[in-house]
Amino acid sequence: METAVKTALIIALFVSVSLGLYVLVDSQFSMQMGAGGMSPGFSWLLQMRAAENDGQIAPSFEELQASGSLPPFMQGALPSEQAAAGARSAPLSQGFEPEKIGPVLARDLLRLTVFMLIAIGFEMLVVWAMRRRHNTLTT
Amino acid sequence: MKMRSRLVLDATLLVLFVVAMNTALTGIPIHEWLSVGVAILVVVHLLTEWDWTINAFTRFFKRLAALSRVNLVVDTALFVAFSLVMLSGFLVSESILPGLGLEIPRGPTWRIIHSLSAQLGLMLLGIHLGFHWRWFVKAITRAGRPSVAREAG
């Protein structure tokens, strides 16, 4: 019973945080054009995407296709029955790219390790400083 | 929960998270289902840390060790980043939601946010793991040691 209540509270917190984030993203990072062009939040997102994506900003054909917002001149590129089908689950192999597995895994593990080492270093430094202060006070 | 069980849970969570992040390895549909599994394990992980979290939050502005305070800030940021990853993943879902017959217009904003928040989550996860390295060393050492019951047998 107690576990069920805790689980419900965690899920409620997750839903509340998600709703808050949705409102924040929708208001600050939307692609909608403002008076002076695109919103500052969206242009920042594009810069971040470029930094993450080897300078490439434009979405790939697959991304455009998945977003359902193909520009009119590309609409005919879709097979007619696929276009008419609407919501359809992605095939199991979609997104599977064997040549990218190694580099992506190496990049993620490197990031994880670097930040882990930074935290370990910081923690050791704080513990060392606390022990030093404690020793100074007791002697 | 016993230390060994928590170690197994946390190690499974870490491996699943890293594998789920690599869509080139899993493909989109498996990535989405693995992420649902990660979300369930995160809830279980939070349940195991419930007492510490409540205790730290109630003492945050009173008496709390500096390191525990930093730890709580990192954990909160990790929870927010994870919520953003799950929310944006839900909004750009190409397998689970369409499989249920639901169609959500997927704009580029959420796609970019999904990718960036996952990277942010990975960095915060690294910091979270780093702050708990003493616990990991203790748990691994204990797990490798034969138990009293086994020694008696």
Side-chain angles (χ1 to χ4, degrees), chain A residues 66-67 90 94 97 111 123, chain B residues 24 28 94-95 106 119 133-134:
Chain A
S67 74
Q94 187 170 321
E97 294 167 283
R111 277 187 189 164
E123 193 259 14
Chain B
I28 298 294
E94 290 174 27
S95 176
R106 299 181 285 263
Q119 289 303 323
W133 73 275
R134 287 176 206 273

Side-chain angles (χ1 to χ4, degrees), chain A residues 56-80:
Chain A
Q56 189 193 330
I57 294 176
S60 63
F61 179 75
E62 287 75 22
E63 283 178 326
L64 280 172
Q65 195 177 346
S67 74
S69 56
L70 280 174
F73 69 92
M74 285 173 81
Q75 300 269 322
L78 284 176
S80 55

Side-chain angles (χ1 to χ4, degrees), chain A residues 22-97:
Chain A
Y22 182 85
V23 172
L24 179 76
V25 169
D26 211 38
S27 62
Q28 299 299 315
F29 297 96
S30 171
M31 197 174 67
Q32 281 172 344
M33 297 283 193
M38 66 177 69
S39 71
F42 188 71
S43 53
W44 178 81
L45 275 182
L46 286 181
Q47 282 173 18
M48 295 300 286
R49 179 187 163 91
E52 188 68 28
N53 221 17
D54 299 326
Q56 189 193 330
I57 294 176
S60 63
F61 179 75
E62 287 75 22
E63 283 178 326
L64 280 172
Q65 195 177 346
S67 74
S69 56
L70 280 174
F73 69 92
M74 285 173 81
Q75 300 269 322
L78 284 176
S80 55
E81 63 241 47
Q82 191 183 340
R88 181 182 282 185
S89 191
L92 205 60
S93 59
Q94 187 170 321
F96 178 68
E97 294 167 283

Side-chain angles (χ1 to χ4, degrees), chain B residues 55-66 69:
Chain B
N55 195 22
F57 266 116
T58 50
R59 288 167 55 196
F60 191 80
F61 294 108
K62 296 174 193 167
R63 282 190 62 184
L64 188 66
R69 202 168 275 160

Side-chain angles (χ1 to χ4, degrees), chain B residues 33-101:
Chain B
W33 285 109
L34 272 181
S35 303
V36 172
V38 168
I40 293 168
L41 287 184
V42 165
V43 173
V44 179
H45 176 78
L46 289 174
L47 284 172
T48 65
E49 302 297 331
W50 182 270
D51 291 337
W52 181 87
T53 311
I54 297 295
N55 195 22
F57 266 116
T58 50
R59 288 167 55 196
F60 191 80
F61 294 108
K62 296 174 193 167
R63 282 190 62 184
L64 188 66
L67 212 51
S68 299
R69 202 168 275 160
V70 177
N71 230 324
L72 190 63
V73 171
V74 170
D75 290 359
T76 308
L78 186 57
F79 182 80
V80 173
F82 183 75
S83 301
L84 190 55
V85 174
M86 292 308 290
L87 170 72
S88 54
F90 178 79
L91 292 171
V92 299
S93 169
E94 290 174 27
S95 176
I96 295 179
L97 288 190
L100 295 171

Side-chain angles (χ1 to χ4, degrees), chain A residues 121-136, chain B residues 67 134:
Chain A
F122 178 77
E123 193 259 14
M124 288 175 103
L125 199 70
V126 171
V127 170
W128 174 78
M130 278 165 63
R131 280 190 186 149
R132 193 159 174 248
R133 201 172 64 176
H134 178 76
N135 288 343
T136 316
Chain B
L67 212 51
R134 287 176 206 273

